[in-house]
Every structure is written in structure tokens, then in C-alpha cells.
Amino acid sequence: MNLDFHKIRRLPPYVFEEVNRIKARLRGQGIDIIDFGMGNPDMPTPKHIVDKLVETARDPKAGRYSMSRGIPGLRRAMAGYYGRRFGVQLDPETEVVATLGSKEGFANLAQALTAPGDVIVCPNPAYPIHAYGFIMAGGVIRHVPALSPEAYLSGVSRAVRHSAPPPSVLILSYPSNPTAQWVDLDFYREAVALARKHDLLVLSDIAYSEIYFEDNPPPSVLQIEGAKDIAVEVNSLSKTYAMAGWRVGMVVGNARICAALARVKSYLDYGNFTPVQVAATAALNGPQDCVAEIRATYKARRDVLVSAMGRAGWPIPAPPASMFAWAPLPEPYREAGSLLFAKLLMEEAHVAVAPGVGFGEYGEGFVRIGLVENEQRIRQAARNVKRFLSQADAILGRAQTALAAQ
Ligand SMILES: Cc1ncc(COP(=O)(O)O)c(C=O)c1O
């Protein structure tokens, strides 16, 4: 199909599509694939949240258009969460916009802020909307290698010195998808100082704020004094409450940026279905033990993954946060590259992972493993991986023959 449109030419097909096609073919053959490929929470949304949705949906008025920037009660609940969790005070009228998931919020922020040719500093590897939201809005991406937060910040300084025009937006995203790294307040202090010095707006994506496995919860950039002058944060209920399909996110912080986003959204949407917003309000204002349970489930899976894969011969660093492990390719497959490795792992071991290169060129050499299968299936995957590693020579030999024949 000819998709030779200006914007579409700037959106390469998702690398993950290639892997997904193989997954669909194998599943079509009745093969059970253990699927760590996507970041799609597999646990149920807590019952009291679902109950609130059902109850509200029965209201005869429920089907009407809602409010594009979110009903006031939801915005107040979002501000309440920021006050409780981070000690950050937000005005629900001017400093909070409810979004249709954080992805929509991020993409429309890009629309709101970008003039054609504006330079945006973006981590690489990154969650794809971070770069492509701005590319769709006509921006130019300055990719900065982000294999560690420190490397990212020093790369940002270099990017600022060498970009013409100078960059206008700095993207931060910790805990990171895909690298699972997280940062402390010192990092944000430095990032905000850098952004202030160079007149950059800061967009910080903190979708995994509640999925952490160390004692200290991840901080918010808005905790830094003066951050609200230049920064907004994008957050989400998707992972915190296992509500990914409900599409509830938020953009909070700088009032001018929030107003710009609200203006764009007022042309595009009428807000989420009101009962979804009411249920999201109940999630934020209600009991939080469900969040601790969700976090504990991911942590238990992380521990099983790291130990079972380690015993199978694939050492994987334990992620401190997020719902992913960022795994270097195991020794015998190191030269294969992440895409071929992911394909072979799927075909031969029936385990799906996301190739690191799908998150940007600096993601090469790694795969992302989502903690979205239960512990028993993680152990099964490790048994399959053990066999896959022991047969590496034969598997790679067959792959080379097949490639040569193409
Ligand atoms: C870093 C990051 N930001 C945003 C999102 C999107 O979340 P939402 O469901 O809120 O759109 C994801 C989803 O995987 C993510 O990993």
C-alpha cells in the first residue's frame, strides 16, 4: 500500500510489528507463546474502581459529552495525589489537565508546543511517543544516548551547545521505559538548572511513579523549587491501578503549558466517558492497598525472572522500578542484534520480548522483558531459554543459512 504522505513517511513501521507478525503466525499454529513483549498490565482493575464505573454508567446522563480537560472532581483528585505523594501543591483549575491516557497527553503537548523545525532533546532509547509525538508535530529530534541518567544529562549539555536553533524542549522519563532506570531529586535539580539556563521547557513522563521495588519511591521533577515555572509532568493511572485500557492520564504543572494543552484538546475531544472519570476519581481518592498489591506482584515477578533467567545462563540486572527488565543479549547471541535475537527467541523458545532497537538505535544490544506473565510462566520461559542458549550454535547456523538464501 502506498503510504507516501508527508507525515507517514516520518513514522517508520513499528519494529515490534515484525516480531508481532511472527507471534501471530506461531499462535495461529496453536503454539503457546509466553509473551513478555508488551507493557500491558495483565492483572484485573481493582473491584471498587470497576464497581464505581458500573454504578455511574447507569445514570441516564452518563452518555453525554464530558469535559475535555477532565471533570473538576477528577482534577481535584489528581491534585490531591500530587499533594499526598510528592508534597507538590497544584491548582486543579489551572495546573491539572486530565488526558485520555498519558500517551494522548504527551502527543497533544507536542502539538501545542511545537513550531515547525523546533529542536527537541529526547532520550534514546525511549518510549516511542517521546520522539514521534514531536515528529508528528513538525519538530526535529536531537537524540541523546540515555543508557544511564548521567550519560543523558551530559549528552543534553552537549546537544544544547551544538544545536541550531537551540532546543526548546527537554524530555525526561524516569522510571524509564525501556531501561527501567530511575533518578533521585539531585538528578532533577541538575536537569531543572540546565533547562532554566538554556531556556528549555521540561516534559517529564512519570507513568511508572508507583511501580518501584526499592525503599524510596521515585520523586517528581515538580518537587524541585521553581520547576513549575518551566515543567509539566505526564502521569497515568494505567500502571498504578492496572487501568491501561481505561485511558486515564494527566498533565500537571506549569499553568501556561497546561492551558496550551487544554486549548488543543478542546478542539479534539470531549474528555473520557464520564463514568470512567468518576471511577478514576474513586481510584485516586480511595483505598491505596490495591496499588501496594500491584507493586508487590511486579516485584515478585521481577525476582523470579532475574533468578530463573540467571540460573538458565542469562544474567539480567534486577530493575529497580517500572514493569520491565532491560536485558543485555546473552553471550552466544550478542552479535546477532536485538531484532534477530527476538525473532529467534520467539521461533525457537516460544518467548516474546521487545527488541531494544525498537526503542531507538542506542537500544541495540538489549531486549525489554515486560513483567506481564505470572511467575509459573516466567519459570517455564526460563526453562525454554536454557535450551535455547545450549543450542545457540545450531540455531544461529540455521538462521545464517536462511538469511543467505533470501
Ligand atoms: C513511559 C511511558 N509513558 C507513557 C505510557 C502510556 O501510558 P498510557 O496508558 O497512560 O497512555 C507508557 C506505556 O507503556 C510508558 O511506558
Side-chain angles (χ1 to χ4, degrees), residues 39-40 100-104 127 129-130 173 175-177 205-208 234-239 243-245 247-249 323-324 368:
N40 200 356
L100 306 173
S102 60
K103 198 177 187 184
E104 179 272 323
Y127 182 58
I129 198 68
H130 293 166
S173 183
S176 159
N177 171 13
D205 180 340
I206 184 170
Y208 299 95
V234 183
N235 206 324
S236 173
L237 274 62
S238 290
K239 313 297 155 85
M243 289 175 69
R247 314 311 301 131
V248 185
M323 55 191 285
F324 306 105
R368 191 195 71 177

Short mmCIF file of all heavy atoms in Angstrom, two decimals, residues 39-40 100-104 127 129-130 173 175-177 205-208 234-239 243-245 247-249 323-324 368, ligand 1:
data_model
loop_
_atom_site.label_atom_id
_atom_site.label_comp_id
_atom_site.label_asym_id
_atom_site.label_seq_id
_atom_site.Cartn_x
_atom_site.Cartn_y
_atom_site.Cartn_z
N GLY A 39 3.92 -3.85 27.27
CA GLY A 39 3.77 -3.34 28.64
C GLY A 39 2.31 -3.26 29.01
O GLY A 39 1.85 -2.22 29.45
N ASN A 40 1.57 -4.36 28.79
CA ASN A 40 0.13 -4.34 29.01
C ASN A 40 -0.20 -5.04 30.31
O ASN A 40 -0.08 -6.27 30.39
CB ASN A 40 -0.53 -5.07 27.82
CG ASN A 40 -1.98 -4.71 27.66
OD1 ASN A 40 -2.54 -3.97 28.47
ND2 ASN A 40 -2.59 -5.24 26.63
N LEU A 100 -6.55 11.50 27.90
CA LEU A 100 -7.02 10.16 27.51
C LEU A 100 -5.81 9.20 27.54
O LEU A 100 -5.32 8.77 26.50
CB LEU A 100 -7.66 10.22 26.12
CG LEU A 100 -8.78 11.25 25.96
CD1 LEU A 100 -9.23 11.37 24.52
CD2 LEU A 100 -9.95 10.88 26.86
N GLY A 101 -5.32 8.95 28.72
CA GLY A 101 -4.05 8.23 28.87
C GLY A 101 -2.91 9.23 28.74
O GLY A 101 -3.08 10.33 28.20
N SER A 102 -1.76 8.86 29.26
CA SER A 102 -0.65 9.82 29.20
C SER A 102 -0.09 9.93 27.78
O SER A 102 0.49 10.96 27.42
CB SER A 102 0.44 9.43 30.20
OG SER A 102 0.95 8.17 29.91
N LYS A 103 -0.28 8.90 26.96
CA LYS A 103 0.23 8.95 25.59
C LYS A 103 -0.46 10.08 24.81
O LYS A 103 0.19 10.86 24.12
CB LYS A 103 -0.04 7.59 24.93
CG LYS A 103 0.75 7.31 23.70
CD LYS A 103 0.39 5.90 23.23
CE LYS A 103 1.26 5.45 22.09
NZ LYS A 103 0.86 4.14 21.58
N GLU A 104 -1.78 10.14 24.94
CA GLU A 104 -2.51 11.24 24.28
C GLU A 104 -2.06 12.58 24.84
O GLU A 104 -1.84 13.54 24.08
CB GLU A 104 -4.02 11.04 24.50
CG GLU A 104 -4.92 12.12 23.89
CD GLU A 104 -5.18 13.32 24.80
OE1 GLU A 104 -5.34 13.16 26.02
OE2 GLU A 104 -5.22 14.43 24.27
N TYR A 127 10.49 5.50 25.04
CA TYR A 127 9.12 5.13 24.67
C TYR A 127 8.79 5.91 23.38
O TYR A 127 8.99 7.14 23.34
CB TYR A 127 8.21 5.51 25.83
CG TYR A 127 6.77 5.15 25.65
CD1 TYR A 127 6.38 3.83 25.42
CD2 TYR A 127 5.79 6.12 25.73
CE1 TYR A 127 5.05 3.51 25.27
CE2 TYR A 127 4.45 5.80 25.59
CZ TYR A 127 4.10 4.48 25.36
OH TYR A 127 2.78 4.17 25.20
N ILE A 129 6.51 7.44 21.71
CA ILE A 129 5.77 8.71 21.55
C ILE A 129 6.63 9.91 21.93
O ILE A 129 6.39 11.03 21.48
CB ILE A 129 4.45 8.69 22.36
CG1 ILE A 129 3.48 9.80 21.87
CG2 ILE A 129 4.69 8.88 23.85
CD1 ILE A 129 2.92 9.60 20.52
N HIS A 130 7.67 9.69 22.73
CA HIS A 130 8.50 10.82 23.15
C HIS A 130 9.13 11.50 21.94
O HIS A 130 9.16 12.73 21.86
CB HIS A 130 9.59 10.37 24.13
CG HIS A 130 9.04 9.90 25.45
ND1 HIS A 130 9.77 9.20 26.36
CD2 HIS A 130 7.80 10.03 25.98
CE1 HIS A 130 9.01 8.92 27.41
NE2 HIS A 130 7.82 9.41 27.21
N SER A 173 12.23 11.05 31.37
CA SER A 173 11.29 9.96 31.59
C SER A 173 11.88 8.92 32.53
O SER A 173 12.57 7.99 32.09
CB SER A 173 10.88 9.33 30.27
OG SER A 173 9.92 8.33 30.50
N PRO A 175 10.79 6.65 36.26
CA PRO A 175 11.42 5.42 35.82
C PRO A 175 11.22 5.21 34.33
O PRO A 175 10.14 5.48 33.80
CB PRO A 175 10.72 4.32 36.62
CG PRO A 175 10.16 5.02 37.82
CD PRO A 175 9.84 6.40 37.38
N SER A 176 12.28 4.72 33.70
CA SER A 176 12.31 4.70 32.24
C SER A 176 11.70 3.43 31.65
O SER A 176 11.92 2.34 32.15
CB SER A 176 13.77 4.80 31.78
OG SER A 176 13.92 4.32 30.47
N ASN A 177 10.94 3.64 30.61
CA ASN A 177 10.60 2.56 29.69
C ASN A 177 11.42 2.87 28.43
O ASN A 177 11.18 3.91 27.83
CB ASN A 177 9.11 2.57 29.39
CG ASN A 177 8.74 1.61 28.28
OD1 ASN A 177 9.53 0.76 27.90
ND2 ASN A 177 7.52 1.75 27.75
N ASP A 205 7.89 12.46 31.85
CA ASP A 205 6.92 11.36 31.82
C ASP A 205 7.20 10.44 33.01
O ASP A 205 8.28 9.87 33.11
CB ASP A 205 7.09 10.61 30.49
CG ASP A 205 6.13 9.43 30.36
OD1 ASP A 205 5.60 8.96 31.37
OD2 ASP A 205 5.92 8.98 29.21
N ILE A 206 6.23 10.33 33.88
CA ILE A 206 6.43 9.57 35.11
C ILE A 206 5.31 8.52 35.26
O ILE A 206 4.70 8.33 36.31
CB ILE A 206 6.57 10.55 36.32
CG1 ILE A 206 6.87 9.85 37.62
CG2 ILE A 206 5.41 11.48 36.43
CD1 ILE A 206 7.26 10.77 38.78
N ALA A 207 5.06 7.84 34.13
CA ALA A 207 3.96 6.85 34.09
C ALA A 207 4.16 5.70 35.08
O ALA A 207 3.20 5.03 35.45
CB ALA A 207 3.81 6.30 32.67
N TYR A 208 5.43 5.46 35.50
CA TYR A 208 5.70 4.35 36.43
C TYR A 208 5.98 4.86 37.84
O TYR A 208 6.71 4.22 38.59
CB TYR A 208 6.88 3.51 35.90
CG TYR A 208 6.53 2.91 34.57
CD1 TYR A 208 6.91 3.53 33.39
CD2 TYR A 208 5.74 1.77 34.49
CE1 TYR A 208 6.53 3.03 32.16
CE2 TYR A 208 5.35 1.25 33.27
CZ TYR A 208 5.75 1.89 32.11
OH TYR A 208 5.36 1.37 30.90
N VAL A 234 3.82 14.28 33.03
CA VAL A 234 2.78 13.45 32.44
C VAL A 234 2.70 12.19 33.30
O VAL A 234 3.71 11.52 33.50
CB VAL A 234 3.17 13.07 30.99
CG1 VAL A 234 2.08 12.26 30.32
CG2 VAL A 234 3.48 14.32 30.18
N ASN A 235 1.53 11.91 33.82
CA ASN A 235 1.38 10.75 34.69
C ASN A 235 0.16 9.96 34.24
O ASN A 235 -0.58 10.40 33.36
CB ASN A 235 1.26 11.20 36.15
CG ASN A 235 1.73 10.15 37.13
OD1 ASN A 235 1.53 8.95 36.92
ND2 ASN A 235 2.34 10.57 38.21
N SER A 236 -0.06 8.80 34.83
CA SER A 236 -1.05 7.88 34.28
C SER A 236 -1.61 6.97 35.36
O SER A 236 -0.91 6.61 36.30
CB SER A 236 -0.35 7.03 33.22
OG SER A 236 -1.21 6.02 32.75
N LEU A 237 -2.87 6.56 35.17
CA LEU A 237 -3.45 5.55 36.06
C LEU A 237 -3.27 4.15 35.48
O LEU A 237 -3.62 3.15 36.12
CB LEU A 237 -4.95 5.83 36.29
CG LEU A 237 -5.28 6.79 37.44
CD1 LEU A 237 -4.70 8.19 37.20
CD2 LEU A 237 -6.78 6.88 37.67
N SER A 238 -2.73 4.07 34.26
CA SER A 238 -2.67 2.79 33.54
C SER A 238 -1.97 1.70 34.32
O SER A 238 -2.44 0.56 34.39
CB SER A 238 -1.95 2.96 32.20
OG SER A 238 -2.73 3.72 31.33
N LYS A 239 -0.80 2.04 34.87
CA LYS A 239 0.01 1.01 35.53
C LYS A 239 -0.27 0.99 37.02
O LYS A 239 -0.33 -0.06 37.65
CB LYS A 239 1.50 1.26 35.27
CG LYS A 239 1.85 1.56 33.81
CD LYS A 239 1.54 0.41 32.88
CE LYS A 239 1.31 0.84 31.45
NZ LYS A 239 2.41 1.01 30.60
N MET A 243 -5.14 -0.02 34.88
CA MET A 243 -6.27 0.57 34.15
C MET A 243 -5.85 0.98 32.73
O MET A 243 -6.37 1.97 32.20
CB MET A 243 -6.80 1.80 34.91
CG MET A 243 -7.52 1.46 36.19
SD MET A 243 -7.99 2.94 37.14
CE MET A 243 -9.25 3.66 36.10
N ALA A 244 -4.94 0.22 32.14
CA ALA A 244 -4.38 0.67 30.86
C ALA A 244 -5.45 0.92 29.78
O ALA A 244 -5.36 1.87 29.01
CB ALA A 244 -3.34 -0.34 30.37
N GLY A 245 -6.46 0.05 29.75
CA GLY A 245 -7.48 0.20 28.70
C GLY A 245 -8.47 1.32 28.98
O GLY A 245 -9.26 1.68 28.10
N ARG A 247 -7.81 4.46 29.70
CA ARG A 247 -7.29 5.69 29.13
C ARG A 247 -7.50 6.89 30.05
O ARG A 247 -8.25 7.82 29.75
CB ARG A 247 -7.89 5.97 27.72
CG ARG A 247 -7.91 4.79 26.77
CD ARG A 247 -6.59 4.05 26.65
NE ARG A 247 -5.51 4.87 26.18
CZ ARG A 247 -4.31 4.90 26.80
NH1 ARG A 247 -4.05 4.16 27.87
NH2 ARG A 247 -3.36 5.64 26.31
N VAL A 248 -6.82 6.84 31.17
CA VAL A 248 -6.84 7.99 32.08
C VAL A 248 -5.41 8.39 32.43
O VAL A 248 -4.66 7.59 33.00
CB VAL A 248 -7.61 7.71 33.38
CG1 VAL A 248 -7.71 9.00 34.21
CG2 VAL A 248 -9.00 7.17 33.10
N GLY A 249 -5.06 9.60 32.05
CA GLY A 249 -3.75 10.13 32.39
C GLY A 249 -3.90 11.57 32.82
O GLY A 249 -5.02 12.10 32.93
N MET A 323 7.78 -1.72 34.93
CA MET A 323 7.31 -3.10 34.80
C MET A 323 8.14 -3.85 33.76
O MET A 323 7.64 -4.76 33.11
CB MET A 323 5.82 -3.13 34.46
CG MET A 323 5.48 -2.33 33.24
SD MET A 323 3.70 -2.12 33.05
CE MET A 323 3.23 -3.74 32.48
N PHE A 324 9.41 -3.47 33.63
CA PHE A 324 10.28 -4.08 32.62
C PHE A 324 11.64 -4.43 33.19
O PHE A 324 12.13 -3.76 34.11
CB PHE A 324 10.50 -3.10 31.45
CG PHE A 324 9.24 -2.58 30.86
CD1 PHE A 324 8.81 -1.29 31.12
CD2 PHE A 324 8.44 -3.40 30.07
CE1 PHE A 324 7.63 -0.81 30.59
CE2 PHE A 324 7.25 -2.94 29.54
CZ PHE A 324 6.84 -1.63 29.80
N ARG A 368 13.80 -5.76 25.88
CA ARG A 368 12.96 -5.38 27.03
C ARG A 368 12.01 -6.53 27.35
O ARG A 368 11.33 -7.05 26.46
CB ARG A 368 12.16 -4.13 26.68
CG ARG A 368 11.47 -3.51 27.87
CD ARG A 368 10.42 -2.51 27.43
NE ARG A 368 9.26 -3.17 26.85
CZ ARG A 368 8.16 -2.54 26.42
NH1 ARG A 368 8.10 -1.23 26.49
NH2 ARG A 368 7.15 -3.22 25.91
C1 LIG B 1 6.97 5.75 29.69
C2 LIG B 1 5.54 5.59 29.28
N1 LIG B 1 4.78 6.67 29.14
C3 LIG B 1 3.50 6.58 28.78
C4 LIG B 1 2.92 5.36 28.52
C5 LIG B 1 1.50 5.33 28.06
O1 LIG B 1 0.66 5.14 29.11
P1 LIG B 1 -0.89 5.50 28.99
O2 LIG B 1 -1.60 4.20 29.06
O3 LIG B 1 -1.14 6.39 30.16
O4 LIG B 1 -1.11 6.22 27.70
C6 LIG B 1 3.65 4.19 28.64
C7 LIG B 1 3.02 2.90 28.34
O5 LIG B 1 3.60 1.88 28.24
C8 LIG B 1 5.01 4.33 29.02
O6 LIG B 1 5.78 3.25 29.12
#
